[in-house]
Amino acid sequence: MNISIYTVVYSPEQLEQAATCLVLDNTRNERPDWREYWPIRHFLLTHPLEDDRYYGFFSPRFAEKTGLSAQQVIDFILASPPQTDAVLFSPQVDVGAFFPNVFVGEDQADPGFLETCQRFVNNVGLELDLSSVAMDSSTIVFSNYIVARAGFWRVWFALAERLYEIAEQGTGELRDRLVQPTNYREGVQRKVFLMERLASLILVTNPGLRTRAFNPFALAWSMQLHRFRDEAIICDALKIADTRSDFPEYLALYEKLRQRVILSALAVDTLGKLRSDPLAGTLNSEVLGLLPASLRCIAEIGAEDKQLSLAYCDANKDTEWISLAASILRRPEQELAPNAWDACILDGILERQADPAAALASLKTALTAEGVLVATFQNAQHWRYQARLALGDTSTHPAGEAIGDRRFTRAEVFRLLDQCGYRVDTGVARVYDPPEAARYLANIRSMALLSGGDPDTAAEDARILQYVVRAVVKR
């Protein structure tokens, strides 16, 4: 078995410390905007590939991200069945597990990424809905850590060159989207993150390729989600099961688990925020964090103060901010101008609607194709609310505010959004559990056990005072 694995190096120090014997010298770094693709491209343009050889092109951080040595990689490849087309060494299995695919996951960090990738996929003639395609540990490749036969790399290079051509020579909106800077490091352009996901795209659209993955649970985990190890294993298994059966229970449980993890991972200590953040009193800081930058038009419904609009428009001078009364939600869907808003904010409005489902349905037409809905709601499952309910007091919420006619738990809001044609892609949970919460949470755990539920989940949900969720329309 012939194997050629190259490490891209950016400095003489990396040249000396390269994880593999073969290197692609990028010390001149002529095109830093293309990162590793620039030296890989040069190699593929100047070196004919041998059909019976496996090739890999790793970044200099391969050993750091995976914990594997070059010899471990080679030994694993040599132990693979001879008919294997590609071998995966993908770290951060938790990131892959908690999102349907690598495109949806990156869209959380870079809103608009999913739509950009969908336009690219459409451009190259692939009939694939990236918002719903399922990927698991057998098809997910992060950081381009894959070793594959020449046939795979020829397909990969053809897609990569199409991406390169659009980004270098294109003049339309897709090109502008591809070269848009992200918040990663020094503003790495979006095209780089799409390039890193081409391997996953090829694997999921070519099910005949025979792959073997190094145990991803034995590699490095992410900083944000690593503590949810059991949940990651379960979620990956559920995705695998869902792709191999028609049983809806797998996908339903997967969505329930992943949303719980995402909100827990993004939980914010409310008391700490109130001490340090002047915007925190009305959830403005969390809402602000979920709004993509440079939006054309934002509609805030039921607004009671100007803090949020002033903070956003101060950083985004060209944005039009519209404040609307909650009564607009009672209008029929056809009365709202189509494709008018890039974002709609519902700050505590759903609880006050006689028909929340109708209100949500009326907004879908007004949102653009990439539009986002940001909604805040108080958690009816918070421990202080449960304590008041036990005493027959439902007049106020634990935050001390009067509540509307309806009260929502996390599961109820997620279910409502899903039924109304929205997909939750991220959110923030504000935690409020001072020392006196411990005795209440202990009893909530007991009550969950007596009811046949999960005590850990019940206690975790009871710590959340308020939620802020961001959702997109399912197209």
PDB file of all heavy atoms in Angstrom, residues 8-12 14 24-40 42 60 185-186 188 192:
ATOM      1  N   VAL A   8       1.596  20.834   5.480  1.00  0.00           N
ATOM      2  CA  VAL A   8       1.816  22.200   5.012  1.00  0.00           C
ATOM      3  C   VAL A   8       2.537  22.964   6.116  1.00  0.00           C
ATOM      4  O   VAL A   8       2.085  22.980   7.269  1.00  0.00           O
ATOM      5  CB  VAL A   8       0.474  22.883   4.673  1.00  0.00           C
ATOM      6  CG1 VAL A   8       0.710  24.335   4.270  1.00  0.00           C
ATOM      7  CG2 VAL A   8      -0.233  22.127   3.557  1.00  0.00           C
ATOM      8  N   VAL A   9       3.648  23.597   5.799  1.00  0.00           N
ATOM      9  CA  VAL A   9       4.418  24.323   6.811  1.00  0.00           C
ATOM     10  C   VAL A   9       4.519  25.792   6.416  1.00  0.00           C
ATOM     11  O   VAL A   9       4.641  26.139   5.245  1.00  0.00           O
ATOM     12  CB  VAL A   9       5.821  23.718   6.995  1.00  0.00           C
ATOM     13  CG1 VAL A   9       5.717  22.303   7.533  1.00  0.00           C
ATOM     14  CG2 VAL A   9       6.609  23.723   5.699  1.00  0.00           C
ATOM     15  N   TYR A  10       4.460  26.657   7.430  1.00  0.00           N
ATOM     16  CA  TYR A  10       4.476  28.099   7.212  1.00  0.00           C
ATOM     17  C   TYR A  10       5.755  28.772   7.698  1.00  0.00           C
ATOM     18  O   TYR A  10       5.945  29.970   7.482  1.00  0.00           O
ATOM     19  CB  TYR A  10       3.289  28.745   7.943  1.00  0.00           C
ATOM     20  CG  TYR A  10       1.949  28.432   7.346  1.00  0.00           C
ATOM     21  CD1 TYR A  10       1.260  27.268   7.685  1.00  0.00           C
ATOM     22  CD2 TYR A  10       1.341  29.308   6.449  1.00  0.00           C
ATOM     23  CE1 TYR A  10       0.002  26.987   7.159  1.00  0.00           C
ATOM     24  CE2 TYR A  10       0.093  29.031   5.907  1.00  0.00           C
ATOM     25  CZ  TYR A  10      -0.558  27.877   6.262  1.00  0.00           C
ATOM     26  OH  TYR A  10      -1.795  27.596   5.731  1.00  0.00           O
ATOM     27  N   SER A  11       6.601  28.032   8.392  1.00  0.00           N
ATOM     28  CA  SER A  11       7.817  28.639   8.952  1.00  0.00           C
ATOM     29  C   SER A  11       8.923  27.604   9.025  1.00  0.00           C
ATOM     30  O   SER A  11       8.658  26.395   8.991  1.00  0.00           O
ATOM     31  CB  SER A  11       7.537  29.186  10.356  1.00  0.00           C
ATOM     32  OG  SER A  11       7.274  28.114  11.250  1.00  0.00           O
ATOM     33  N   PRO A  12      10.169  28.044   9.137  1.00  0.00           N
ATOM     34  CA  PRO A  12      11.277  27.083   9.300  1.00  0.00           C
ATOM     35  C   PRO A  12      11.102  26.206  10.531  1.00  0.00           C
ATOM     36  O   PRO A  12      11.485  25.038  10.519  1.00  0.00           O
ATOM     37  CB  PRO A  12      12.513  27.996   9.429  1.00  0.00           C
ATOM     38  CG  PRO A  12      12.127  29.260   8.717  1.00  0.00           C
ATOM     39  CD  PRO A  12      10.660  29.425   8.989  1.00  0.00           C
ATOM     40  N   GLN A  14       8.246  25.145  11.829  1.00  0.00           N
ATOM     41  CA  GLN A  14       7.281  24.100  11.477  1.00  0.00           C
ATOM     42  C   GLN A  14       7.901  23.085  10.541  1.00  0.00           C
ATOM     43  O   GLN A  14       7.550  21.899  10.588  1.00  0.00           O
ATOM     44  CB  GLN A  14       6.042  24.726  10.842  1.00  0.00           C
ATOM     45  CG  GLN A  14       5.178  25.522  11.802  1.00  0.00           C
ATOM     46  CD  GLN A  14       3.975  26.138  11.127  1.00  0.00           C
ATOM     47  OE1 GLN A  14       3.848  26.113   9.897  1.00  0.00           O
ATOM     48  NE2 GLN A  14       3.074  26.702  11.916  1.00  0.00           N
ATOM     49  N   LEU A  24       4.749  20.308   2.312  1.00  0.00           N
ATOM     50  CA  LEU A  24       4.464  21.299   1.279  1.00  0.00           C
ATOM     51  C   LEU A  24       4.911  22.633   1.850  1.00  0.00           C
ATOM     52  O   LEU A  24       4.329  23.143   2.815  1.00  0.00           O
ATOM     53  CB  LEU A  24       2.972  21.325   0.942  1.00  0.00           C
ATOM     54  CG  LEU A  24       2.382  20.054   0.331  1.00  0.00           C
ATOM     55  CD1 LEU A  24       0.907  20.260   0.002  1.00  0.00           C
ATOM     56  CD2 LEU A  24       3.145  19.656  -0.940  1.00  0.00           C
ATOM     57  N   ASP A  25       5.954  23.187   1.262  1.00  0.00           N
ATOM     58  CA  ASP A  25       6.590  24.396   1.793  1.00  0.00           C
ATOM     59  C   ASP A  25       5.757  25.632   1.446  1.00  0.00           C
ATOM     60  O   ASP A  25       5.670  26.034   0.290  1.00  0.00           O
ATOM     61  CB  ASP A  25       8.006  24.516   1.207  1.00  0.00           C
ATOM     62  CG  ASP A  25       8.800  25.636   1.872  1.00  0.00           C
ATOM     63  OD1 ASP A  25       8.197  26.453   2.574  1.00  0.00           O
ATOM     64  OD2 ASP A  25      10.026  25.700   1.657  1.00  0.00           O
ATOM     65  N   ASN A  26       5.179  26.227   2.466  1.00  0.00           N
ATOM     66  CA  ASN A  26       4.413  27.459   2.280  1.00  0.00           C
ATOM     67  C   ASN A  26       5.014  28.604   3.087  1.00  0.00           C
ATOM     68  O   ASN A  26       4.311  29.519   3.525  1.00  0.00           O
ATOM     69  CB  ASN A  26       2.947  27.230   2.703  1.00  0.00           C
ATOM     70  CG  ASN A  26       2.013  28.305   2.179  1.00  0.00           C
ATOM     71  OD1 ASN A  26       2.174  28.788   1.058  1.00  0.00           O
ATOM     72  ND2 ASN A  26       1.041  28.696   2.984  1.00  0.00           N
ATOM     73  N   THR A  27       6.322  28.550   3.290  1.00  0.00           N
ATOM     74  CA  THR A  27       6.977  29.576   4.102  1.00  0.00           C
ATOM     75  C   THR A  27       6.908  30.961   3.457  1.00  0.00           C
ATOM     76  O   THR A  27       6.948  31.972   4.158  1.00  0.00           O
ATOM     77  CB  THR A  27       8.451  29.205   4.364  1.00  0.00           C
ATOM     78  OG1 THR A  27       9.107  28.943   3.105  1.00  0.00           O
ATOM     79  CG2 THR A  27       8.553  27.965   5.238  1.00  0.00           C
ATOM     80  N   ARG A  28       6.789  31.015   2.141  1.00  0.00           N
ATOM     81  CA  ARG A  28       6.630  32.317   1.483  1.00  0.00           C
ATOM     82  C   ARG A  28       5.218  32.861   1.657  1.00  0.00           C
ATOM     83  O   ARG A  28       5.017  34.080   1.583  1.00  0.00           O
ATOM     84  CB  ARG A  28       6.967  32.188  -0.008  1.00  0.00           C
ATOM     85  CG  ARG A  28       8.431  31.820  -0.277  1.00  0.00           C
ATOM     86  CD  ARG A  28       8.673  31.590  -1.752  1.00  0.00           C
ATOM     87  NE  ARG A  28       8.447  32.809  -2.527  1.00  0.00           N
ATOM     88  CZ  ARG A  28       8.531  32.857  -3.864  1.00  0.00           C
ATOM     89  NH1 ARG A  28       8.829  31.753  -4.546  1.00  0.00           N
ATOM     90  NH2 ARG A  28       8.329  33.986  -4.492  1.00  0.00           N
ATOM     91  N   ASN A  29       4.269  31.978   1.865  1.00  0.00           N
ATOM     92  CA  ASN A  29       2.880  32.365   2.151  1.00  0.00           C
ATOM     93  C   ASN A  29       2.393  33.444   1.183  1.00  0.00           C
ATOM     94  O   ASN A  29       1.898  34.508   1.601  1.00  0.00           O
ATOM     95  CB  ASN A  29       2.757  32.841   3.596  1.00  0.00           C
ATOM     96  CG  ASN A  29       1.339  32.701   4.147  1.00  0.00           C
ATOM     97  OD1 ASN A  29       0.490  32.037   3.545  1.00  0.00           O
ATOM     98  ND2 ASN A  29       1.079  33.328   5.283  1.00  0.00           N
ATOM     99  N   GLU A  30       2.479  33.147  -0.094  1.00  0.00           N
ATOM    100  CA  GLU A  30       2.155  34.141  -1.123  1.00  0.00           C
ATOM    101  C   GLU A  30       0.683  34.536  -1.121  1.00  0.00           C
ATOM    102  O   GLU A  30       0.341  35.659  -1.477  1.00  0.00           O
ATOM    103  CB  GLU A  30       2.547  33.588  -2.496  1.00  0.00           C
ATOM    104  CG  GLU A  30       4.043  33.337  -2.636  1.00  0.00           C
ATOM    105  CD  GLU A  30       4.382  32.562  -3.895  1.00  0.00           C
ATOM    106  OE1 GLU A  30       3.530  31.735  -4.322  1.00  0.00           O
ATOM    107  OE2 GLU A  30       5.464  32.782  -4.449  1.00  0.00           O
ATOM    108  N   ARG A  31      -0.187  33.606  -0.761  1.00  0.00           N
ATOM    109  CA  ARG A  31      -1.622  33.901  -0.727  1.00  0.00           C
ATOM    110  C   ARG A  31      -2.206  33.449   0.618  1.00  0.00           C
ATOM    111  O   ARG A  31      -2.860  32.399   0.712  1.00  0.00           O
ATOM    112  CB  ARG A  31      -2.340  33.208  -1.890  1.00  0.00           C
ATOM    113  CG  ARG A  31      -2.041  33.793  -3.252  1.00  0.00           C
ATOM    114  CD  ARG A  31      -2.574  35.225  -3.389  1.00  0.00           C
ATOM    115  NE  ARG A  31      -4.008  35.305  -3.163  1.00  0.00           N
ATOM    116  CZ  ARG A  31      -4.924  35.151  -4.130  1.00  0.00           C
ATOM    117  NH1 ARG A  31      -4.536  34.918  -5.381  1.00  0.00           N
ATOM    118  NH2 ARG A  31      -6.202  35.258  -3.864  1.00  0.00           N
ATOM    119  N   PRO A  32      -1.981  34.216   1.653  1.00  0.00           N
ATOM    120  CA  PRO A  32      -2.483  33.811   2.976  1.00  0.00           C
ATOM    121  C   PRO A  32      -4.003  33.702   3.040  1.00  0.00           C
ATOM    122  O   PRO A  32      -4.540  33.019   3.917  1.00  0.00           O
ATOM    123  CB  PRO A  32      -1.965  34.925   3.898  1.00  0.00           C
ATOM    124  CG  PRO A  32      -1.702  36.093   2.996  1.00  0.00           C
ATOM    125  CD  PRO A  32      -1.250  35.498   1.705  1.00  0.00           C
ATOM    126  N   ASP A  33      -4.704  34.364   2.120  1.00  0.00           N
ATOM    127  CA  ASP A  33      -6.164  34.299   2.131  1.00  0.00           C
ATOM    128  C   ASP A  33      -6.679  32.908   1.781  1.00  0.00           C
ATOM    129  O   ASP A  33      -7.827  32.567   2.098  1.00  0.00           O
ATOM    130  CB  ASP A  33      -6.757  35.335   1.175  1.00  0.00           C
ATOM    131  CG  ASP A  33      -6.283  35.152  -0.257  1.00  0.00           C
ATOM    132  OD1 ASP A  33      -5.065  34.965  -0.450  1.00  0.00           O
ATOM    133  OD2 ASP A  33      -7.116  35.205  -1.183  1.00  0.00           O
ATOM    134  N   TRP A  34      -5.829  32.062   1.138  1.00  0.00           N
ATOM    135  CA  TRP A  34      -6.250  30.707   0.788  1.00  0.00           C
ATOM    136  C   TRP A  34      -5.727  29.650   1.762  1.00  0.00           C
ATOM    137  O   TRP A  34      -5.980  28.458   1.582  1.00  0.00           O
ATOM    138  CB  TRP A  34      -5.811  30.352  -0.635  1.00  0.00           C
ATOM    139  CG  TRP A  34      -6.697  30.948  -1.682  1.00  0.00           C
ATOM    140  CD1 TRP A  34      -6.421  31.998  -2.510  1.00  0.00           C
ATOM    141  CD2 TRP A  34      -8.027  30.533  -2.015  1.00  0.00           C
ATOM    142  NE1 TRP A  34      -7.488  32.266  -3.329  1.00  0.00           N
ATOM    143  CE2 TRP A  34      -8.492  31.375  -3.057  1.00  0.00           C
ATOM    144  CE3 TRP A  34      -8.879  29.531  -1.543  1.00  0.00           C
ATOM    145  CZ2 TRP A  34      -9.762  31.249  -3.626  1.00  0.00           C
ATOM    146  CZ3 TRP A  34     -10.144  29.402  -2.093  1.00  0.00           C
ATOM    147  CH2 TRP A  34     -10.574  30.244  -3.123  1.00  0.00           C
ATOM    148  N   ARG A  35      -4.969  30.100   2.754  1.00  0.00           N
ATOM    149  CA  ARG A  35      -4.463  29.177   3.760  1.00  0.00           C
ATOM    150  C   ARG A  35      -3.794  27.952   3.114  1.00  0.00           C
ATOM    151  O   ARG A  35      -2.995  28.087   2.195  1.00  0.00           O
ATOM    152  CB  ARG A  35      -5.591  28.749   4.714  1.00  0.00           C
ATOM    153  CG  ARG A  35      -6.410  29.895   5.275  1.00  0.00           C
ATOM    154  CD  ARG A  35      -5.693  30.678   6.315  1.00  0.00           C
ATOM    155  NE  ARG A  35      -5.594  29.916   7.558  1.00  0.00           N
ATOM    156  CZ  ARG A  35      -5.159  30.427   8.699  1.00  0.00           C
ATOM    157  NH1 ARG A  35      -4.775  31.696   8.742  1.00  0.00           N
ATOM    158  NH2 ARG A  35      -5.088  29.695   9.781  1.00  0.00           N
ATOM    159  N   GLU A  36      -4.156  26.726   3.576  1.00  0.00           N
ATOM    160  CA  GLU A  36      -3.474  25.523   3.075  1.00  0.00           C
ATOM    161  C   GLU A  36      -3.772  25.220   1.602  1.00  0.00           C
ATOM    162  O   GLU A  36      -3.012  24.493   0.958  1.00  0.00           O
ATOM    163  CB  GLU A  36      -3.854  24.309   3.925  1.00  0.00           C
ATOM    164  CG  GLU A  36      -3.105  24.187   5.237  1.00  0.00           C
ATOM    165  CD  GLU A  36      -3.741  25.030   6.337  1.00  0.00           C
ATOM    166  OE1 GLU A  36      -4.972  25.185   6.322  1.00  0.00           O
ATOM    167  OE2 GLU A  36      -2.999  25.552   7.183  1.00  0.00           O
ATOM    168  N   TYR A  37      -4.880  25.744   1.091  1.00  0.00           N
ATOM    169  CA  TYR A  37      -5.216  25.384  -0.286  1.00  0.00           C
ATOM    170  C   TYR A  37      -4.172  25.875  -1.282  1.00  0.00           C
ATOM    171  O   TYR A  37      -3.968  25.234  -2.317  1.00  0.00           O
ATOM    172  CB  TYR A  37      -6.585  25.933  -0.688  1.00  0.00           C
ATOM    173  CG  TYR A  37      -6.971  25.517  -2.094  1.00  0.00           C
ATOM    174  CD1 TYR A  37      -7.130  24.159  -2.401  1.00  0.00           C
ATOM    175  CD2 TYR A  37      -7.127  26.445  -3.122  1.00  0.00           C
ATOM    176  CE1 TYR A  37      -7.449  23.750  -3.686  1.00  0.00           C
ATOM    177  CE2 TYR A  37      -7.450  26.039  -4.407  1.00  0.00           C
ATOM    178  CZ  TYR A  37      -7.613  24.700  -4.690  1.00  0.00           C
ATOM    179  OH  TYR A  37      -7.926  24.290  -5.971  1.00  0.00           O
ATOM    180  N   TRP A  38      -3.498  26.972  -0.992  1.00  0.00           N
ATOM    181  CA  TRP A  38      -2.539  27.511  -1.961  1.00  0.00           C
ATOM    182  C   TRP A  38      -1.415  26.508  -2.256  1.00  0.00           C
ATOM    183  O   TRP A  38      -1.166  26.184  -3.423  1.00  0.00           O
ATOM    184  CB  TRP A  38      -1.977  28.836  -1.464  1.00  0.00           C
ATOM    185  CG  TRP A  38      -1.151  29.550  -2.486  1.00  0.00           C
ATOM    186  CD1 TRP A  38       0.198  29.733  -2.495  1.00  0.00           C
ATOM    187  CD2 TRP A  38      -1.628  30.154  -3.702  1.00  0.00           C
ATOM    188  NE1 TRP A  38       0.599  30.413  -3.614  1.00  0.00           N
ATOM    189  CE2 TRP A  38      -0.501  30.690  -4.378  1.00  0.00           C
ATOM    190  CE3 TRP A  38      -2.887  30.284  -4.285  1.00  0.00           C
ATOM    191  CZ2 TRP A  38      -0.603  31.341  -5.587  1.00  0.00           C
ATOM    192  CZ3 TRP A  38      -2.998  30.933  -5.495  1.00  0.00           C
ATOM    193  CH2 TRP A  38      -1.866  31.461  -6.132  1.00  0.00           C
ATOM    194  N   PRO A  39      -0.710  25.948  -1.272  1.00  0.00           N
ATOM    195  CA  PRO A  39       0.313  24.943  -1.584  1.00  0.00           C
ATOM    196  C   PRO A  39      -0.278  23.616  -2.070  1.00  0.00           C
ATOM    197  O   PRO A  39       0.335  22.939  -2.898  1.00  0.00           O
ATOM    198  CB  PRO A  39       1.074  24.768  -0.265  1.00  0.00           C
ATOM    199  CG  PRO A  39       0.126  25.217   0.786  1.00  0.00           C
ATOM    200  CD  PRO A  39      -0.690  26.306   0.165  1.00  0.00           C
ATOM    201  N   ILE A  40      -1.456  23.234  -1.569  1.00  0.00           N
ATOM    202  CA  ILE A  40      -2.081  22.005  -2.063  1.00  0.00           C
ATOM    203  C   ILE A  40      -2.415  22.160  -3.544  1.00  0.00           C
ATOM    204  O   ILE A  40      -2.195  21.238  -4.351  1.00  0.00           O
ATOM    205  CB  ILE A  40      -3.356  21.672  -1.252  1.00  0.00           C
ATOM    206  CG1 ILE A  40      -2.998  21.339   0.194  1.00  0.00           C
ATOM    207  CG2 ILE A  40      -4.107  20.505  -1.884  1.00  0.00           C
ATOM    208  CD1 ILE A  40      -4.202  21.157   1.101  1.00  0.00           C
ATOM    209  N   HIS A  42      -0.957  24.071  -5.743  1.00  0.00           N
ATOM    210  CA  HIS A  42       0.286  24.015  -6.531  1.00  0.00           C
ATOM    211  C   HIS A  42       0.736  22.567  -6.722  1.00  0.00           C
ATOM    212  O   HIS A  42       1.156  22.172  -7.823  1.00  0.00           O
ATOM    213  CB  HIS A  42       1.383  24.820  -5.836  1.00  0.00           C
ATOM    214  CG  HIS A  42       2.704  24.759  -6.541  1.00  0.00           C
ATOM    215  ND1 HIS A  42       2.967  25.419  -7.709  1.00  0.00           N
ATOM    216  CD2 HIS A  42       3.852  24.071  -6.239  1.00  0.00           C
ATOM    217  CE1 HIS A  42       4.205  25.172  -8.103  1.00  0.00           C
ATOM    218  NE2 HIS A  42       4.765  24.350  -7.224  1.00  0.00           N
ATOM    219  N   PRO A  60      -0.292  22.200   9.816  1.00  0.00           N
ATOM    220  CA  PRO A  60       0.766  21.967  10.817  1.00  0.00           C
ATOM    221  C   PRO A  60       0.239  21.670  12.214  1.00  0.00           C
ATOM    222  O   PRO A  60       1.001  21.225  13.074  1.00  0.00           O
ATOM    223  CB  PRO A  60       1.556  23.283  10.790  1.00  0.00           C
ATOM    224  CG  PRO A  60       0.646  24.294  10.203  1.00  0.00           C
ATOM    225  CD  PRO A  60      -0.223  23.556   9.238  1.00  0.00           C
ATOM    226  N   ARG A 185      -9.755  34.369  13.939  1.00  0.00           N
ATOM    227  CA  ARG A 185      -8.401  34.913  13.907  1.00  0.00           C
ATOM    228  C   ARG A 185      -8.367  36.289  13.262  1.00  0.00           C
ATOM    229  O   ARG A 185      -9.080  37.195  13.687  1.00  0.00           O
ATOM    230  CB  ARG A 185      -7.456  33.926  13.221  1.00  0.00           C
ATOM    231  CG  ARG A 185      -7.281  32.636  14.037  1.00  0.00           C
ATOM    232  CD  ARG A 185      -6.097  31.831  13.580  1.00  0.00           C
ATOM    233  NE  ARG A 185      -5.875  30.703  14.482  1.00  0.00           N
ATOM    234  CZ  ARG A 185      -4.870  29.845  14.357  1.00  0.00           C
ATOM    235  NH1 ARG A 185      -4.012  29.980  13.346  1.00  0.00           N
ATOM    236  NH2 ARG A 185      -4.723  28.856  15.212  1.00  0.00           N
ATOM    237  N   GLU A 186      -7.547  36.443  12.211  1.00  0.00           N
ATOM    238  CA  GLU A 186      -7.378  37.769  11.618  1.00  0.00           C
ATOM    239  C   GLU A 186      -8.407  38.066  10.543  1.00  0.00           C
ATOM    240  O   GLU A 186      -8.203  38.950   9.711  1.00  0.00           O
ATOM    241  CB  GLU A 186      -5.957  37.901  11.035  1.00  0.00           C
ATOM    242  CG  GLU A 186      -5.656  37.049   9.808  1.00  0.00           C
ATOM    243  CD  GLU A 186      -5.359  35.593  10.106  1.00  0.00           C
ATOM    244  OE1 GLU A 186      -5.448  35.207  11.291  1.00  0.00           O
ATOM    245  OE2 GLU A 186      -5.032  34.846   9.170  1.00  0.00           O
ATOM    246  N   VAL A 188     -10.228  35.415   8.685  1.00  0.00           N
ATOM    247  CA  VAL A 188     -10.123  34.422   7.616  1.00  0.00           C
ATOM    248  C   VAL A 188     -11.405  34.449   6.788  1.00  0.00           C
ATOM    249  O   VAL A 188     -12.506  34.491   7.318  1.00  0.00           O
ATOM    250  CB  VAL A 188      -9.898  33.014   8.200  1.00  0.00           C
ATOM    251  CG1 VAL A 188      -9.902  31.965   7.101  1.00  0.00           C
ATOM    252  CG2 VAL A 188      -8.585  32.977   8.974  1.00  0.00           C
ATOM    253  N   VAL A 192     -12.474  29.780   2.892  1.00  0.00           N
ATOM    254  CA  VAL A 192     -11.572  28.798   3.499  1.00  0.00           C
ATOM    255  C   VAL A 192     -12.374  27.734   4.247  1.00  0.00           C
ATOM    256  O   VAL A 192     -12.065  26.540   4.181  1.00  0.00           O
ATOM    257  CB  VAL A 192     -10.571  29.493   4.435  1.00  0.00           C
ATOM    258  CG1 VAL A 192      -9.756  28.463   5.217  1.00  0.00           C
ATOM    259  CG2 VAL A 192      -9.650  30.408   3.642  1.00  0.00           C
TER     260      VAL A 192
END
